[in-house]
Structures are given as C-alpha cells and as structure tokens.
Amino acid sequence: MLKGPFLSRDWMGSVPDYNEAKIVMIGLPFDGTCSYRPGSRFAPEVLRPASWGLEEYSSVFDKELCDVKFFDAGELEFPLGNTKASLDLIEENVLQVYKDGKKFLGIGGEHLVTLPALKACLTKYPNLAVVHFDAHTDLREDYLGEKLSHASVMRRIGELTGFHNIRQIGIRSGLKEEFELMSEYGTLIHRVEELECFRDKKIFLTIDIDVLDTSVMPGTGTPEAGGMSYKELCGWLYYLKDFDIAGADVVELAPDYDSSGVSTAVCAKVIRDVLMIL
Amino acid sequence: MLKGPFLSRDWMGSVPDYNEAKIVMIGLPFDGTCSYRPGSRFAPEVLRPASWGLEEYSSVFDKELCDVKFFDAGELEFPLGNTKASLDLIEENVLQVYKDGKKFLGIGGEHLVTLPALKACLTKYPNLAVVHFDAHTDLREDYLGEKLSHASVMRRIGELTGFHNIRQIGIRSGLKEEFELMSEYGTLIHRVEELECFRDKKIFLTIDIDVLDTSVMPGTGTPEAGGMSYKELCGWLYYLKDFDIAGADVVELAPDYDSSGVSTAVCAKVIRDVLMIL
Amino acid sequence: MLKGPFLSRDWMGSVPDYNEAKIVMIGLPFDGTCSYRPGSRFAPEVLRPASWGLEEYSSVFDKELCDVKFFDAGELEFPLGNTKASLDLIEENVLQVYKDGKKFLGIGGEHLVTLPALKACLTKYPNLAVVHFDAHTDLREDYLGEKLSHASVMRRIGELTGFHNIRQIGIRSGLKEEFELMSEYGTLIHRVEELECFRDKKIFLTIDIDVLDTSVMPGTGTPEAGGMSYKELCGWLYYLKDFDIAGADVVELAPDYDSSGVSTAVCAKVIRDVLMIL
Amino acid sequence: MLKGPFLSRDWMGSVPDYNEAKIVMIGLPFDGTCSYRPGSRFAPEVLRPASWGLEEYSSVFDKELCDVKFFDAGELEFPLGNTKASLDLIEENVLQVYKDGKKFLGIGGEHLVTLPALKACLTKYPNLAVVHFDAHTDLREDYLGEKLSHASVMRRIGELTGFHNIRQIGIRSGLKEEFELMSEYGTLIHRVEELECFRDKKIFLTIDIDVLDTSVMPGTGTPEAGGMSYKELCGWLYYLKDFDIAGADVVELAPDYDSSGVSTAVCAKVIRDVLMIL
Amino acid sequence: MLKGPFLSRDWMGSVPDYNEAKIVMIGLPFDGTCSYRPGSRFAPEVLRPASWGLEEYSSVFDKELCDVKFFDAGELEFPLGNTKASLDLIEENVLQVYKDGKKFLGIGGEHLVTLPALKACLTKYPNLAVVHFDAHTDLREDYLGEKLSHASVMRRIGELTGFHNIRQIGIRSGLKEEFELMSEYGTLIHRVEELECFRDKKIFLTIDIDVLDTSVMPGTGTPEAGGMSYKELCGWLYYLKDFDIAGADVVELAPDYDSSGVSTAVCAKVIRDVLMIL
Amino acid sequence: MLKGPFLSRDWMGSVPDYNEAKIVMIGLPFDGTCSYRPGSRFAPEVLRPASWGLEEYSSVFDKELCDVKFFDAGELEFPLGNTKASLDLIEENVLQVYKDGKKFLGIGGEHLVTLPALKACLTKYPNLAVVHFDAHTDLREDYLGEKLSHASVMRRIGELTGFHNIRQIGIRSGLKEEFELMSEYGTLIHRVEELECFRDKKIFLTIDIDVLDTSVMPGTGTPEAGGMSYKELCGWLYYLKDFDIAGADVVELAPDYDSSGVSTAVCAKVIRDVLMIL
C-alpha cells in the first residue's frame, strides 16, 4: 500500500467515523426551484476544499474544530428535476441522523432543502423553534403557482412549527404581504436580546448566506443590497452559542458567481462558526 | 412624445409586426432538467443585445436579414419548477405559430424545449424529419428515472417521428447503448450527402450549440472536447439552405460560463445563419 | 396571435404608456470621454433585466413600484464619437419630457450625460439646486484640454446654476484646487441636515454610483476606496424623500467590471430607491 | 546605486537605445470611435509584460529577437475624447520615425490609429501597398455619420493609396456594399500567391487581431465567428517574410475581455512574428 | 448509518480498492518551480469533480471506464517550498506502485513532477522510452541557475534514459540550443509512424496539457499559440493504444486561468483517454 | 528623436532620479512559499499602471505625491525556486538603500519578503520596532517543516527584534499557540493609542493587505472574513503619520483573484497613503 501522506478529502477537522460523531454534515446539492441565478448545487463540492484554507482554531470561540466531533457524510445524489423525491431523500437521511442520536448540519443547495430537514428534526423535537437568517422573507404562499419553492420555504415551515416559533434576522426584501405577516407574528427581529424567548427551546438554525451584504457575498443566487457584514453575523452566532441548537443548515452559496473565491471562503468560515456552536 | 432615436429592443433585423412575419422567434428560458451546469435560461435575454453586434448582411448566404421576415416574440414566462406545465406552454404557443401559417424558431433554454415544439410542428407536418446537431446523443431512455430530461429528448422525439426520420451530426458522447441505437437506425451521419434522404421532406432542425468545439463554445452546460468549428457547422447549414425547413431551434447556450462574451456572439451568428435558411 | 405569457422587456414595474407616466426613464449609453475604464455605455442594457431580480415593494419606503407611474423609454442611439451631437440629443429629448409635464430619470452612461439633462431641467426650473453623490469632485476646469469631460461635469454645471446651488456628498478624490473650490463654496457636506437649505427648492439629483465603496461597487470606471455602504446611500435618499426632486440620474455603472453581477444588482436597487422619492 | 538585477520594463528583446534601432515600436492606446466593446486602449500596457512569457527564439522563422533591432518607445499620451488631435499626434511621431530612417511598428488601440501612421508612411513611400488582415471590411463610407471611424479606416486609406493597392485577408463581415466594393477592386484574397502583385512594392502591413477566430482571440472588441487559426495567420506572415515591409501595426486587442490571458499571449506572439519579418 | 445515496468523491469509474486496481492514479499538486503563471497545484482537486461531467463510455476507444481497473489514491501532501523533499515523496510512492505490480498515472501539478515518477518507473524498466507531448522543449540545462525546474525536466530525463529514447510531439517553443538538441537526437516528430521505433519498448507517456492550442486550453501556466486540437491529440493517443505503456502523467492544468471551466473539462477527457490506453 | 508625449512607465508621482529620492520603492515579485493561492508575484507589475488611476493629491493627508520624493526602482529578478538566494538578493539591495541614506518601500510578493528587508533596516537601526497589519498571526514556528515561510515571518522577525518590539493589528486567524504567544507579549492591539509606546522609536511598517476585509480585498492569497474597511486602515495610517517610520512594505496582493480590478486599485491607494507618511 501507498504511504502518502495524502491530503484529506473530507472537511477540515472532521472525524473519519460516523459513529464517533455528534454532528453529521450532509451536502444537499439541490437547486431545482431557483427563480433567478442557479448553481447552488455546486456549493457543497467547492466548500470542502475551501475549508482547508481556514485555521482549525477560532479565536472568537476560542475552540478548535478537533473538539467538535463532526462527520462529513458527503453529498446526497438527487433524482434531477424531481423536487418531491429529492426532498423525501433529504428527510429520510436526516431522520436517520436524529434516530442515531446525532445533530444535523446541512450544506445547501437552495433554501428549499431546509423544509425536509426541519420536518425530520421536528419529529424528534415537536416543540422546535426556528432562527432564520436571510435577506428575503421566503414567506410567499406560492411562487408562480408552486408551493414547494425556495421563496415559500419559511411559509411552509411556519405552517409546521407555528409562526410564533420563528425569528427572522436580516430580512430586507419581500412582498408587502410578507412584511405584514412578519409584523403580525413579530418574527422579524433586530437585536440579539429578542432571541431570549427561545432560551429554553430546541432550535433549528437556518442561514441563507445572502443575509450577508452583496459586497461580502456576491456568490449567491439573489444578491440583495443592504445586508450584514460577516462580523455582524458572527456576533449573532456568538450570542447563540449558549442556546440549545438541535440542527442547522447553511444554504444558497452559488459558486459560479464567485470568481474571486471569497464568497466560498466566507461561507466556509460561517460553517466553521456554526460547527462551533452546534 | 419623445423623438429619440431609440435603440431597438428587438432582435436585429426583425419586423415589428407579428402578422407581417413568416417566421416567429420565441425565447424559451427553461433549464429545469439540466444535469450539470445550469443557466441556459439566461440565453435568450443575452442573445438579443448581442445580435446587434452582427452585420445584417451575410456574405456566405449573400442575403440580408431584412429580407427574412421574422418577428421577435420575446421570452415565454414559465411556472418555475413545473416541467410539465412549462412544456405545455411551449407546445400551445408553437401550435399557434403553425396555425397562423408561420414557421417557428425557438431560442433555448435547455434541449428539452425541443420536444413540445416538435410535437406542435408534427401536428401540422405528420411526416416530419429531424436534423439534429449535438455533442451528445440525448437518446437515454431516462435520466435518473426521469423520462422528461434534456438527456432523453431525442429518444422521446424518435418515439414520435420514428428513429429512421432522424439524422444526428457531431455526436461524440453518450452511453454505449445510445451509440448502439444510433448504429441500429443509422442516425449518425458525417457527410452532407447523407442528408439527401430528407430532400423531399419537411424538416425540423434542432441545434444544440455544444455541437461546436469547447474552444468555440465554452459557454454551454456540458462542454465536450472534439467538436466542430463554426465554419464546419456553417457548411452544414449552407448545404441545408435548399431543403424545406419547417421549424428550428438553437439551444443550450449558458451565458454564465461565457466571461468573454464570444460564445454568445457565435451563437447569435448561428441563429442568424438559421434565419437565412428557414 | 400568441397568448404567451411573455416576460416583459421593460423595467420592472414601469407603465406601458408614455402618456400615463409621471416619470420618464431614458437610457443614455454614452461613455465617450471616459478617461480610465470604459463601458458604462452597456449599463442601461444590463440594468433592465437585472431590475427583475428586485421586489417591486420596498420595505424602507413602504411603497410599491406600481404606485410610481414611470415609463421606460429605452436607450437613445448616439452618433458614436461625436460628443457634441450626443449631448444635444440628450438635451432635446429631456426638454420634451419637461415640456410634457413629466420628470426625467436618466440612466448613464458616464457622468457627462448629466450636463445636457440638467440644462433641459434648468430651462423649466431656472432656480434649480443640485444634489451630487460621487467619489470624485468632477470640478476640473478641463481634462487634458477638453472642457466637455466627465471630470469637468460639475464645473460646467456650477457655471450654469452657481456653485452655491450645489451640495456634494461622498467626495473623496480630486485635485487640490478642486477641494479648495469645494471649500470656497461649501459644497461638500457630510450630514443630512446640511441639505435643509434646499428644502424649498427644486432639486436635480445626480448619483455617480462610484460614491459607493469599491467593495459594494466594483463595476464602475474609476473605483475609489473609502466610500459609502449601500445603507448609507439609502439613508441619504430616505432623507430626501420629502424634498421636491424635479429630475435625477444614476450614472457610471460599468458592467464589464462586474463579473459577479452584484454591482448591477445594487445599482438597480439604487434606481428603484430613486424612483421611490421622485 | 542599486545593483538589482531588475526585470526589464521594455518589450522582451528590444534595444535600449532609439538610435541603435531599425524598428520603432509605439503604443497607441486610443479607442475613441469604438462602436461595440471598448478597451483596446489597455492593449499596449498589458502586451509588454506578456511579451516576457514568450521565448526570444522563433523556430518558425529560425531567428532570435535580439537579431531584430527594435526600440520600445512606450505609449503615446492622447488628449482624451479629441479624435482629430489624437490622430495628428500619431502622424507627427510616425513621420519622425521615417525621417530618422527607421521602420514603424504600431501597437493599437483601435483600427483607426492605422490611418495617420499610414499617412506618415505614405509621405516617405508614395507608392505604398497595403496588406490588411481583418474580420471586417472597414470600408464604410461613414459610421453613424462619422467619417473618422474604425469602421471606415480602410475606406479612408483606399482613398489615399487607391483601392487597387490594397489586399484584404480573412474578411468575413461587412455590409453588402462593402463586399461589392471589394469585388470591384479585387481586394479580398484567399491564397498567399495573390500577394505576388506586391512583390516589388513597399508594403504597409496592418493586422486587426480579430482576423483570428473567436476561439483564438476572445479578447477583442468585435469578435466574429469563422476566422483563422494562429497557424494560418503565421503561414501568411511566413510568406510575407521576403517582401519589403516598410511599416506595420497590430490592433484591436481588448484585454478586458481576455479573462484567461491567452488572447494577450497570442497577440504578443503575432507581434513577435511581425518583428521577425519587418 | 445513512443510506444516501451519496455522490462519489473519487474519480468517475475508479475502483474503491487499491488491491483490485491495475492502475494507480495519484494527484501531484506541486508547482514550486513555475516560472510564469502558477496554480497547477489546484489541478487534481478540480479534475475529480469535473470527471463526473464525462460519460464513462468512449466511442473513440469503444470502451468503458469500468473496464479499466484504476484506483484514485488522492493527492500527495507536499512540504511547501521544499522541492527536493517533494520530489522524493513522489518517487517513493511511485516506486511502491511499481513494486505492487501496478501502473502509475500521475495528475500534475507542474511538469517537474514527471522526473521522480519516471525515475521510479525506470527502476522497474531500465530500458524505458519516453513519449512527450508539450508546447515547450523543456530541455534547458538550467533555468536561472536551477537544474530542477519544469523548464529542464526533459533534459534531466534525457540524461537518465538517453535522448535517443525520447520522442517529442507538438513542440513549438524553446531556445535555439534546445531546438538544436532536438535535431541532434531526432527527438521531435510530426507523424504517428515515427513512433514505430518504440513498438517493442516499455513507454512512459508524459502529456503537458499545453501541447493543446491556446484556444482549447487557456487554463495552463504558459499558453503557447499554434498548438494541437483535441482531436489531433486524441489521434496520437489512439495510435498509441497498442503500445506497451508502463506509466503516464498529465500535467500543467492551471484552473485559475480557466474561468469557463472548459480547460478542466478537456483535460479530464484527455485523462480518460490515457486511462483507455494504459 | 520622438517628441511624444509618452505615458510614464514609473509609478505615478515618482521622481526619475535615484539620487534625488528620499524613498526607494522596490518591487519584490516573490511568492515561493505561498501555501494557498499563489500569484502575488504579479502584484508589482499590475500596481504600477493602476497607480495612474489615482489622484496625486490625498485629501486625507492634504498632500501631493510630488511632495514625496520617491524613486520607483522596478522589480527585482529572482532565481526561481531558490528561496534562500531570493531573500539574500532583497537584503543586499535594501542594505544599499539604507547605506545611501534613503528609506525603503517594498511592494510584495508574499509576506516572507519582509524578513530580509527588515534585517537590512535593523542593521541601520538596531532598536527597531515593528508595526504589523495582517489577518494572520504569521507566528508559526515552522510551516510543514519549513522555517522560512510566509506563515512564520513574524516569528522570525520577533526572534530578531524581540517580540516586545512588535505590535499587531487586525489579526483574526492563527493557531491557538500563536494567539497565546500574542497574549504573552501583548503584541495584538485594537486601539491607535496602544501604538504610543513606539512614539520615540524607529518603526518598520509592514502591511499584509489581507488585513482588509474579504469584501474590500478579494485579490489576496488567503482571504479571511471579518477584516477592516479601507477607512479603518486609513485611520491607523493617519495616526502613524507623526511617527518615525524608517521603512515599510505592502504585501500579498494576488491579482489573479481580482477580476474586477478593485483589489489592485485599493492596494495602490494604500501604497499612496504609506508614501504620505514615510
């Protein structure tokens, strides 16, 4: 046999054995309902090598990735063009993660992949709360007639968890009626203290990476001016580090629009931060 | 009112009135079953301004676009993520084109858009032959279980027209069984004379732009080494100029992978050439 | 006739009829005196499709574009290389806009296009004030001997309106003598309250998009470090919403330097914001 | 003083002293009448460092650049936006080159820069012939009313030299009347032997780099499908090596459309080849 | 455990078990002596996902990758900046491959990686011949004083195997003395028949991907105009399919200069072709 | 001789004569130990033309470059792949600068180039302090066994100057032990006042341009989220303007990752700012 040494093909800092892990990272290369610029399907594949450009140690969280026992399961293979079957495949695998007593970390793909993952998480924790970072409300009843759309994912999730169990951060784009829905339920928050109501709940954390400003994150499907800096997002995650997060995902990186590679580098760091608080 | 002059927003050389036209150009921004690099949905939108970089006159065909009466209808708006409804929308509109006694020219989008257009054409001309330029056979029975896929479009078409009514040019990639199917029916041809069997038939011409070599056409979803030069493709089209072409389309330009803009420029010229022979 | 539905080729939210409109948007694809990176001529053409990536509703202004009656007139066609004739063409068309009792919104093109538009506006409102967002003073007496230059446009405008009728925001680059001129007339301001002197005047608003930081707006001809964030610019526009703005333009987007597309997306949003306050 | 060694800032293989040189290379960063994609103004500046990626030795011409005594004069500084003054500046400097008994090699910039250079050459050699490589005829009477345009440069030149003194190679785009003009004077040729009529004449060689196919030369203002390979162009130049070339230029490289850098690399090699035959 | 299905992270068509394999593919991400455009270190990492864009079946070789038993060992991890130690690491691992009775296929990295691999192969087959595809001779005695350089790799190899055991194809750039060396030993060949002298020998095949024309392969460190098309290269490989190839490598893809992704796609196909003939 | 005028090939505002200069700018195109994305070797070459996009006057420092007497020496030519010899070459030239009673300004290249320059400066000023802007600690004992690495440069420097003579600003990435070393010596500072301890010392200022946020500076080898804006960096430099800076460098711009050109533009401006305070 060859002695190598060979570079690892897994995410930096991951453990090689599923059984040893407390967290299971699954790539979800699905962008079938994308309405504008497609290609988030390529995100998990480019994030893995990019992860090796990071340090394992985070000075913010004063923690090393080797202290976080996570397993990199790879990317699911989807039946192309069949949204329903794709979502079922996600749900089934995430259910298994929770059945095995582990936490789930999804790497999108478009935002619709959150729906089946959250369903699976909800099976284990029926009283789940959702913390949602995004530029867009994603609260449409449907998009051009389709109910299963990235633009409707939070509406579908709210129907499952109740909208009072959702808090949304960074939202700056949507229809008038979506903003009214946020007002009605008070989902849109602006200060970390507004998260306190979820202090004793299990939380699913979903980060649409376009919550970051277009200057920080050009590589996404629907860039929207006026977003957060990385430091602001990191501040929110730091606040969440003592909350009880049962599952999470980071979605909507679109590498084809990231010619400099920095969107991917920033997204990889956000994922490292999420790993630190899971 | 303003006097302008204003730049035209239609394809260079098109006529402003549907009724005046013999050919109707319709943009088909659909890429829902794309298995590799998406974004052909953006092709019609970038081809229109690029058309103004061409001359109206073609020295090869010694003809000006103003002699070709074509109407630029714009792009259809599709229900995103609903393949079936999208294809129906195409079929319905192309049926109308033929009902109005005109010829159809489709601008893809992915190759699956050819299926409903051809169905509509077949309604008018039941004995239709198909001339197919492509790098890929597109003859799969299904792709990951899906029968309505860009990788299966010629299989579906062959089921409608009979495979003996198909000739394929430039094919260099496919499964072993797809190549065997081509052998069985003799669909794969290499010389213009092999088109003679279609001399007296109505023809539907479908050009997947990846028939061109990767050096000529980087901006496509599934680039495949070993293809034609533009001059070779133009030679085939020149040979076809005395055939009876009842409809045509040009598909699979993916502008996101065309940073220099030349794929778009070449594709616009191919469309101009097709207009010259329709 | 075809039933479609077809995607609109006009700016999102525009009205189809000139007579119905209160605002007329005209594309001004001119970059003839550009001294550094050219290509702002392509801005109007790429902004239109990009506008469809925005929502019609702005939560900042709590208003929808359908409430703003604006007409998208398309792009003027210029005699290439003839600066004088190009500027005359702009002036003539903008004069007509004001004659028809409407407001003008110009989409550059380079900053020199502001001069003829402002002249036309001044014909109607002789006591016009100018609010100018830019990274550069644009106050040169001439540029390499040329008096009609994007680098001299505010000097020429000041000669028409008087420099005391100008306020400049975001300026961070210029010659020593240009900064001295700004000091002499107090044109350079840093706080929104400094706009109050224009409270009762008709205002022409001109935004050189390079007022935004290079991180936000790489796609411009002369990027200059140390600029505003989008939120800051939006704050200024919000403050201006109760002022009486008689005309406006947004200039200097250079799409060739915007490989990720986000400069275009941000610029389209700025234009939407300007539409909200016109 | 510093010992270095420092990298040269001149073209690879050039001599440091004007007086020592037989050929004078002058950069002409002018693109003021460009009708489509601008930026050829940046070509001389990027070609110089790219020249260092070449070998000094050419195996085709079996010759080294150090055997060609050429001086790299740098780039002329133009009064921006003033076409007339820019052309005069070129003419004046090229006149001096011929007055000093040297040959001129121009590096464009757009094709219009050929006009004043050729005028200067014509002063010395009144019976000059012109060999013109291009995708476009450049024979328009005027372009949008302008007689001094890159699209009219060969028309203006023909008026000076007589059209019978012009041979054009690689032309594949133009108006019907331009092709008729070429027919009338037999300027368009396809085989090297057709150059023989110029065997005993002084020749000015002008190469619009878009004569190369779009696959070879994406980085140009008006890319046109169906062009030459580099090897074909090199073959023509090889044939010309025994002709009496009195001056030359290579124009229309547009570096902003050359994200891979290969257009620049190829253009640098063409310039090296021209140096070999001057 | 998770059921997936998960996408494979190995090269398409590879076998999962080293012992089962006849061929061992090793990534060699080393570009330490690159003199011009660096980044071939990233080639193995991008080629793997790109391999999944190919079909397993090659119609040229009428063979499927599943019939080729090859193992994808991953990328070696090199001590950065230490050329000597890096080359030793390669040699040691390739020696093991031959000790285990398998063939080696290296994926560069820069061309210098060929030297230690060839040394290892030579240990097993002392009478080895070398077939070398490249744009450059790589026959320099040294490069800026360094003997271990990508520009000297064939010189070093010739010193080991004898220059009469080398045939070079596609060479079009080098110093005068390098071309003279090629003449002296007759290494440079232009027709497939000239390979016949190696009919009964063990062959090491080394392909510097810049042998392809710049239009086909922009994504390489030292692009050189006037190269082969993919079809020509494929023709040479087809001829070699009945020769006894004991080892091979494909080097010098530089993904940072491949914005469209087609260089990577073409290189992946060349590797597939090499796998077909190994 | 030619009259021109010709564009300057030196940095904007530099003096033509070494003897006249107080500051000597030397380009250091070395990136031999780069562990991630290479190409900082190209930075000096692209910064020079980019410098001409700046104004000579800085309104922040109220000073013009013509008041700063600096000489642009050009780029050193390095023996490729020989780290030791390259560093010696730098040291030798910088020693000469100080021997001639001038100040040194280095333009990297990677960060390791700071080591020999600082050594030379230390020869003249043995009690030198170091102010270090960077995203990374650069305090590793070694990197993959190599002690001369960009990741170890500050460790090597601290061994020469003592770590108590170092202040580090903007650091946000490193190993746990590196952060502990910074804590031990208090090198990491966050407020300008913490620089006061160096008020009476000679200072060497070294700026790794990745201290800027990824949104501002995508074009660098190891982009790291959460960095400074340009304004923040400029604020630090403004504070330093009354300190006694004996030498400086700006390193790690990687132009290949700067498709929009703004990283280069920002870096050029930072260099202008450093020239203002030297």
Side-chain angles (χ1 to χ4, degrees), chain A residues 7 46 49-50 52-53 260, chain E residues 11 27-32 37-50 75-76 78 80 107-110 219 250-258 264 267, chain F residues 31 34-39 220-223 254 256-257:
Chain A
L7 295 164
V46 302
W52 291 92
S260 68
Chain E
W11 246 78
L28 305 169
F30 173 86
D31 59 8
R37 311 195 307 180
S40 62
R41 66 180 72 175
F42 297 125
E45 157 186 325
V46 303
L47 281 163
R48 187 171 292 115
E75 278 89 69
L76 283 178
F78 294 116
L80 277 166
I107 310 295
E110 62 154 82
V250 179
V251 302
E252 295 284 4
L253 176 72
D256 287 341
Y257 302 96
D258 179 31
T264 304
C267 187
Chain F
D31 60 7
C34 171
S35 54
Y36 194 34
R37 311 196 307 182
T220 191
T222 319
D256 286 342
Y257 302 97

Side-chain angles (χ1 to χ4, degrees), chain C residues 234-245:
Chain C
C234 191
W236 284 92
L237 296 179
Y238 188 80
Y239 191 85
L240 280 165
K241 83 177 160 39
D242 303 320
F243 283 66
D244 188 0
I245 301 174

Side-chain angles (χ1 to χ4, degrees), chain B residues 38-275:
Chain B
S40 61
R41 66 179 73 173
F42 296 125
E45 156 186 326
V46 303
L47 281 162
R48 187 172 291 114
S51 73
W52 290 92
L54 301 168
E55 296 281 1
E56 279 206 52
Y57 174 71
S58 162
S59 59
V60 171
F61 296 96
D62 190 19
K63 200 170 168 180
E64 289 183 296
L65 267 190
C66 58
D67 300 333
V68 181
K69 301 296 175 199
F70 76 103
F71 174 73
D72 173 1
E75 279 89 70
L76 282 178
E77 183 171 23
F78 293 116
L80 277 166
N82 191 328
T83 299
K84 178 71 173 51
S86 299
L87 302 188
D88 288 350
L89 195 65
I90 297 172
E91 190 172 351
E92 182 184 0
N93 277 278
V94 182
L95 272 172
Q96 186 65 44
V97 169
Y98 285 106
K99 208 169 290 174
D100 293 339
K102 300 170 193 304
K103 291 179 175 186
F104 163 75
L105 173 58
I107 309 295
E110 61 155 83
H111 212 161
L112 186 56
V113 303
T114 305
L115 181 58
L118 184 125
K119 267 192 201 166
C121 192
L122 206 56
T123 306
K124 177 124 182 196
Y125 305 110
N127 196 18
L128 197 62
V130 180
V131 175
H132 171 220
F133 291 87
D134 205 328
H136 308 88
T137 57
D138 289 359
L139 287 167
R140 294 187 181 217
E141 177 51 33
D142 61 72
Y143 190 77
L144 296 172
E146 291 299 310
K147 294 199 141 202
L148 287 180
S149 161
H150 71 114
S152 302
V153 63
M154 292 310 297
R155 184 69 167 260
R156 292 295 90 75
I157 285 174
E159 291 164 359
L160 295 173
T161 63
F163 290 100
H164 60 285
N165 274 323
I166 294 177
R167 288 300 174 276
Q168 297 178 285
I169 302 152
I171 311 296
R172 54 197 184 276
S173 183
L175 303 178
K176 198 173 169 53
E177 50 265 41
E178 294 178 279
F179 274 86
E180 287 166 355
L181 187 68
M182 290 197 295
S183 287
E184 187 184 342
Y185 290 96
T187 60
L188 183 58
I189 66 174
H190 299 93
R191 290 168 303 106
V192 289
E193 299 77 22
E194 296 176 271
L195 287 169
E196 280 304 317
C197 51
F198 289 172
R199 175 62 76 179
D200 302 320
K201 303 193 73 165
K202 291 283 177 184
I203 291 172
F204 192 95
L205 169 66
T206 180
I207 301 176
D208 185 324
I209 203 70
D210 67 19
V211 73
L212 293 168
D213 192 53
T214 54
S215 59
V216 182
M217 189 53 56
T220 190
T222 318
E224 186 74 41
M228 282 185 194
S229 70
Y230 165 78
K231 279 186 201 165
E232 288 174 85
L233 177 56
C234 191
W236 283 92
L237 296 180
Y238 190 81
Y239 192 85
L240 281 165
K241 84 176 157 38
D242 303 321
F243 284 66
D244 188 359
I245 300 175
D249 58 24
V250 179
V251 301
E252 294 285 2
L253 175 73
D256 287 341
Y257 302 97
D258 180 31
S259 68
S260 69
V262 294
S263 299
T264 303
V266 171
C267 188
K269 195 165 178 181
V270 170
I271 292 169
R272 192 189 71 178
D273 294 343
V274 171
L275 281 164

Side-chain angles (χ1 to χ4, degrees), chain C residues 36-49:
Chain C
Y36 193 35
R37 314 197 302 181
S40 60
R41 66 180 73 175
F42 297 125
E45 156 185 326
V46 302
L47 280 162
R48 187 172 290 114

Side-chain angles (χ1 to χ4, degrees), chain E residues 5 16 134 136 138 143 151 211 227 257 278:
Chain E
D134 205 328
H136 309 87
D138 289 359
Y143 191 76
V211 73
Y257 302 96
L278 259 180

Side-chain angles (χ1 to χ4, degrees), chain B residues 1-11 17-19 24 26-27 29 45 48-50 71-78 89 92-94 96-97 100, chain C residues 1-11 17-19 24 26-27 29 45 48-50 71-78 89 92-94 96-97 100:
Chain B
M1 278 297 292
L2 302 179
K3 283 199 311 187
F6 289 98
L7 295 164
S8 170
R9 297 192 211 170
D10 290 333
W11 246 78
D17 181 3
Y18 179 81
N19 296 312
V24 178
I26 303 183
E45 156 186 326
R48 187 172 291 114
F71 174 73
D72 173 1
E75 279 89 70
L76 282 178
E77 183 171 23
F78 293 116
L89 195 65
E92 182 184 0
N93 277 278
V94 182
Q96 186 65 44
V97 169
D100 293 339
Chain C
M1 278 296 292
L2 302 180
K3 282 200 312 189
F6 289 99
L7 295 165
S8 170
R9 296 193 210 169
D10 291 333
W11 245 79
D17 180 3
Y18 178 80
N19 296 312
V24 177
I26 304 182
E45 156 185 326
R48 187 172 290 114
F71 174 73
D72 174 2
E75 278 89 71
L76 283 178
E77 183 170 24
F78 294 116
L89 195 64
E92 182 183 0
N93 277 277
V94 181
Q96 186 66 45
V97 169
D100 293 340

Side-chain angles (χ1 to χ4, degrees), chain A residues 152-202:
Chain A
S152 303
V153 64
M154 292 310 297
R155 184 70 168 257
R156 293 293 90 75
I157 285 175
E159 291 164 359
L160 294 172
T161 63
F163 290 100
H164 59 285
N165 274 322
I166 294 177
R167 289 298 173 277
Q168 295 179 285
I169 301 152
I171 311 297
R172 55 196 182 274
S173 184
L175 303 177
K176 197 172 170 53
E177 49 266 41
E178 292 179 281
F179 273 87
E180 286 165 356
L181 187 69
M182 289 198 294
S183 287
E184 185 184 342
Y185 288 98
T187 61
L188 182 58
I189 65 174
H190 299 94
R191 289 168 304 108
V192 287
E193 299 77 24
E194 297 177 271
L195 287 169
E196 279 306 315
C197 51
F198 289 173
R199 176 62 76 177
D200 300 320
K201 305 192 73 164
K202 292 282 178 184

